[in-house]
Amino acid sequence: MPDARHYPFTAIVGLDQLKLALILNAVSPRTGGVLIRGEKGTAKSTIVRALSALLPPVAVVPGCRFSCDPAAPEPACPDGPHGPRPDASVRPARLAELPVGASEDRLVGSLDLERALTEGVKSFEPGLLAAAHRGVLYVDEVNLLHDHLVDLLLDAAALGTCYVERDAVSVRHPARFLLVGTMNPEEGELRPQLLDRFGLTVEVAASRDPGERAEVVRRRLSFEDDPEGFAARWTAEEQALAARIAEARGRLRDVALSDAALRQIATVCAAFGVDGMRADLITAHAAVAHAAWRGGTEVTAEDVRAAARLALPHRRRRDPFDAPGLDESELDELLDNSKPDPDPDTDPDGGADSAGNGQADSAENGQADSAENGQADTTTSGTGDGEAGGAGKGQAATSTARPGEPYRVRALTVPGLGTGSPGRRSRARTPYGRVSGSRTPVGRLTSPHLTATLRAAAPHQRERGRTGPGLVVRPGDLREAVREGREGNLVLFAVDASGSMAARRRMEAVKGAVLSLLLDAYQRRDKVGLVTFRGSAAELVLPPTSSVEAGAARLRSLPTGGRTPLAEGLRRAAEVLRVERLRDPSRRPLLVVVTDGRVTSGATADVDRAAALLRGVTSVVVDCESGPVRLGLAVRLAGRLGGEAVRLEELAADGLRELVHERRKAA
Ligand SMILES: [Zn+2]
């Protein structure tokens, strides 16, 4: 078991919740995997690699690239058939790592279509799903993985099968693995439906205890100094843990899940407002695993508590901008009120052991986070006023309006055909869109266009000596599909936060509009940035990021008041876009200027000069002018930018917003 390449699992300091989550999955594969959330440098990868060394070894058919079990080889194995009594060999459980930039072929495997079409030979190169079968599949930065890959990954995880189909050729093989993903929430959240597919989530943060931190460094140095010697010193602990996992796995079937415990699980899940039944199922599986792990024979309240803490935080119905979290005291209260029996068999030591001190740390963090979020929601004006006092520079009274309710907005797009990262906004050449044409393959053939291929082969049949019914296809006939889909863009907001916009109701509406546009950007997988201008300067409040939550938070606390330095705002936006173009040339920008167009600081000629810097950028001006007399300044600004002006009231996708308003009024 000791492996010099890995840092030993048992030598990792703290992170008790994470260790528990991984162990529960090792004990019971039905626990559904783990999503680890946390900043960089929290040993997320170290611990996942360390875990794979603890998994029970697997018996395989030698030479089978799909890890067939000799006791029950897969009848349709692409490397088969293996016969009724194949040889057997034992190897350690494997860890396969899926890099964020991986291609579809790398994940699911690749069919050699050229051979299939020209020689009629089915040749399949296994991908990472095959490598991970009966082991661990690890996805670092899963939140940055392209939707299409996530879908393939989660389908495979749900079905336990990898299915590859390219036109008429298909291959299928089993792919059952423990899925572990990591993400840094600062780089953007996972969509809720993907969050839900992970069994458990754990929030990790570096310890703030100096003693613990020192011990982490001490061990790390010692490991780097002499990896083998270090691993050897932990052999006994590692073996004991591996044995305990194997033992718990064996005992899993014998753990009883009483009706009372099931009812307790249902009560907790219902009270926390989770969607669907998956939360109940996962909590039940995790509770059973926890009982087996601590050596119990029956699921107790303690098991349900441990399971709920890991299975529920990411499943609560919520605003997409909120970070996952769970109120621990609420959980305790619920559990107390729904105890399966008045006397659950004492305080199980195994459970208490894993719910030990280290946890207090991460629990505290979670609570602090959610408390902060809650505050941002309810006491915006309070926080904002404080900030405004510092930033206002005595220009004029400032205030902080709370954003209005978000709504569905009209689709704003960049015209033309882009080549940016896949997303859901503007038209673009993408590998996964619908077929829009065909061409001679560029590189390896991955997506053949059969009609075009047949059309290319047809005129040559006689000269190629075709006699039978089959068409004679040569490599030169092959055509690939040209696909068109949608890309994500960089949506840069330049928001006028000056006094002319500050009438409270107006600013509520403006913030509500920007919040809606942010929500839209989140769903379309854009990057977003936020420039604001008020007083005498423009400020880059949010540098371009995929984290729309950060944008929403900045917006909520954005103070308003003072003069309108419109030219300054445009210049700042132009500068941000220039830098981003250097960073990511294929991501096309969309500038959304939110203003009433009134200029109270600087000359209009200045605005013209600034607008000229934005030539070639697709711009939309959201016209916030209100009142009986309209000056049409925002429309004029749109003209200068060569863009379109949309009245604030017309930003909603349809009559939806009015409808909601009407219903509120009626209620
Ligand atoms: Zn096989």
Side-chain angles (χ1 to χ4, degrees):
M1 204 98 12
D3 182 341
R5 287 169 308 162
H6 293 306
Y7 191 88
F9 191 88
T10 45
I12 291 166
V13 180
L15 301 178
D16 295 343
Q17 277 289 89
L18 174 54
K19 284 182 190 161
L20 181 62
L22 292 170
I23 286 171
L24 295 183
N25 272 281
V27 169
S28 168
R30 296 167 86 183
T31 312
V34 185
L35 175 66
I36 310 172
R37 298 163 49 89
E39 61 218 349
K40 285 206 161 61
T42 34
K44 295 185 295 245
S45 323
T46 307
I47 197 166
V48 177
R49 295 199 182 98
L51 172 81
S52 65
L54 295 175
L55 296 175
V58 289
V60 293
V61 174
C64 171
R65 296 171 299 163
F66 301 88
S67 302
C68 274
D69 182 351
E74 181 64 22
C77 174
D79 278 354
H82 297 301
R85 285 179 166 277
D87 292 344
S89 65
V90 173
R91 64 155 176 78
R94 247 187 332 229
L95 172 89
E97 290 189 42
L98 172 63
V100 164
S103 64
E104 178 178 348
D105 280 1
R106 180 94 184 86
L107 178 64
V108 300
S110 59
L111 271 163
D112 190 336
L113 290 166
E114 195 167 319
R115 287 191 70 193
L117 289 176
T118 59
E119 299 169 36
V121 178
K122 193 149 95 177
S123 142
F124 182 69
E125 193 58 43
L128 287 167
L129 289 176
H133 180 45
R134 305 174 73 195
V136 181
L137 185 67
Y138 175 47
V139 193
D140 197 11
E141 302 189 292
V142 65
N143 52 328
L144 305 185
L145 204 63
H146 181 247
D147 279 7
H148 179 70
L149 283 188
V150 173
D151 289 345
L152 289 170
L153 174 64
L154 294 176
D155 279 352
L159 299 170
T161 302
C162 172
Y163 181 65
V164 186
E165 186 178 28
R166 294 281 181 277
D167 296 273
V169 196
S170 69
V171 164
R172 177 194 299 269
H173 66 80
R176 286 183 299 274
F177 47 83
L178 161 52
L179 179 64
V180 185
T182 64
M183 61 174 278
N184 179 354
E186 285 166 12
E187 288 165 353
E189 285 294 345
L190 266 186
R191 284 179 291 139
Q193 57 271 49
L194 302 184
L195 265 180
D196 182 58
R197 302 291 287 268
F198 280 95
L200 312 180
T201 16
V202 184
E203 201 87 30
V204 294
S207 167
R208 277 168 297 179
D209 174 55
E212 209 173 283
R213 294 178 73 104
E215 187 57 26
V216 169
V217 176
R218 199 174 296 130
R219 289 187 190 178
R220 200 73 224 186
L221 291 176
S222 161
F223 173 74
E224 282 165 14
D225 218 30
D226 172 19
E228 273 129 74
F230 186 84
R233 285 197 290 286
W234 290 89
T235 306
E237 280 87 348
E238 290 286 284
Q239 279 174 347
L241 181 56
R244 192 173 161 193
I245 289 173
E247 214 175 286
R249 214 185 244 198
R251 226 187 355 249
L252 208 53
R253 266 169 215 267
D254 306 328
V255 173
L257 179 65
S258 66
D259 278 355
L262 259 180
R263 217 169 307 124
Q264 192 180 29
I265 290 169
T267 306
V268 170
C269 289
F272 274 105
V274 293
D275 282 319
M277 291 300 297
R278 201 170 138 74
D280 302 58
L281 272 173
I282 293 290
T283 309
H285 283 310
V288 169
H290 190 266
W293 164 243
R294 64 171 176 79
T297 52
E298 192 178 357
V299 171
T300 67
E302 195 49 48
D303 299 320
V304 175
R305 181 178 199 285
R309 281 186 66 178
L310 296 168
L312 301 188
H314 57 300
R315 292 212 164 77
R316 305 197 66 176
R317 221 172 286 135
R318 59 184 51 250
D319 182 325
F321 295 135
D322 290 339
L326 197 69
D327 185 336
E328 295 273 331
S329 53
E330 199 183 339
L331 175 60
D332 283 338
E333 202 175 302
L334 278 167
L335 288 167
D336 282 345
N337 295 341
S338 59
K339 281 230 164 101
D341 55 80
D343 179 30
D345 49 322
T346 67
D347 209 359
D349 45 348
D353 169 3
S354 48
N357 299 335
Q359 264 174 1
D361 225 39
S362 54
E364 241 171 56
N365 283 342
Q367 270 174 345
D369 280 357
S370 49
E372 248 168 49
N373 282 343
Q375 254 169 25
D377 264 353
T378 51
T379 59
T380 331
S381 43
T383 351
D385 284 347
E387 253 171 66
K393 294 187 183 135
Q395 287 257 2
T398 55
S399 62
T400 307
R402 153 209 300 272
E405 288 284 315
Y407 46 88
R408 206 154 65 81
V409 293
R410 272 170 59 166
L412 305 173
T413 58
V414 179
L417 197 59
T419 53
S421 317
R424 303 205 182 87
R425 190 174 291 278
S426 309
R427 286 178 54 214
R429 284 268 148 81
T430 65
Y432 313 120
R434 60 176 181 80
V435 177
S436 64
S438 67
R439 64 177 172 198
T440 315
V442 180
R444 223 172 65 82
L445 180 69
T446 54
S447 174
H449 192 294
L450 281 188
T451 324
T453 301
L454 295 182
R455 216 182 289 129
H460 308 292
Q461 295 307 301
R462 191 176 308 187
E463 75 200 55
R464 287 176 190 172
R466 173 186 160 195
T467 49
L471 212 58
V472 183
V473 179
R474 297 272 159 81
D477 302 329
L478 296 175
R479 296 289 181 275
E480 74 180 359
V482 172
R483 289 170 187 275
E484 192 186 306
R486 302 233 165 229
E487 64 179 1
N489 296 104
L490 165 63
V491 183
L492 181 66
F493 295 94
V495 179
D496 183 347
S498 68
S500 66
M501 302 273 293
R504 188 164 275 272
R505 300 315 295 267
R506 198 63 191 158
M507 205 56 209
E508 271 179 30
V510 169
K511 282 191 175 184
V514 179
L515 195 63
S516 308
L517 287 163
L518 276 169
L519 182 60
D520 182 59
Y522 166 81
Q523 284 156 350
R524 296 181 191 277
R525 299 186 72 87
D526 297 314
K527 269 174 103 171
V528 294
L530 177 61
V531 167
T532 64
F533 48 98
R534 59 185 280 269
S536 57
E539 194 188 345
L540 177 60
V541 181
L542 181 76
T545 169
S546 305
S547 171
V548 170
E549 303 77 26
R554 302 287 152 82
L555 183 73
R556 285 196 178 105
S557 60
L558 180 71
T560 42
R563 293 166 165 282
T564 316
L566 179 57
E568 209 34 64
L570 297 179
R571 256 197 299 277
R572 194 64 203 261
E575 177 58 19
V576 172
L577 293 180
R578 190 186 67 81
V579 172
E580 279 306 303
R581 199 154 39 230
L582 294 174
R583 262 188 208 144
D584 186 357
S586 67
R587 189 176 283 270
R588 298 188 299 157
L590 174 67
L591 176 66
V592 180
V593 185
V594 184
T595 182
D596 56 9
R598 237 178 262 249
V599 180
T600 53
S601 173
T604 9
D606 253 11
V607 176
D608 283 332
R609 273 194 294 275
L613 296 173
L614 289 159
R615 205 164 286 140
V617 174
T618 305
S619 308
V620 176
V621 177
V622 177
D623 181 359
C624 302
E625 185 172 35
S626 63
V629 185
R630 287 177 175 264
L631 302 173
L633 294 169
V635 177
R636 222 176 297 164
L637 174 64
R640 283 156 157 168
L641 290 168
E644 179 196 359
V646 180
R647 295 226 335 248
L648 185 61
E649 295 75 13
E650 292 165 352
L651 198 59
D654 39 40
L656 201 69
R657 192 171 155 222
E658 279 68 22
L659 205 82
V660 172
H661 261 273
E662 287 309 308
R663 277 180 41 206
R664 275 227 182 101
K665 248 186 248 165

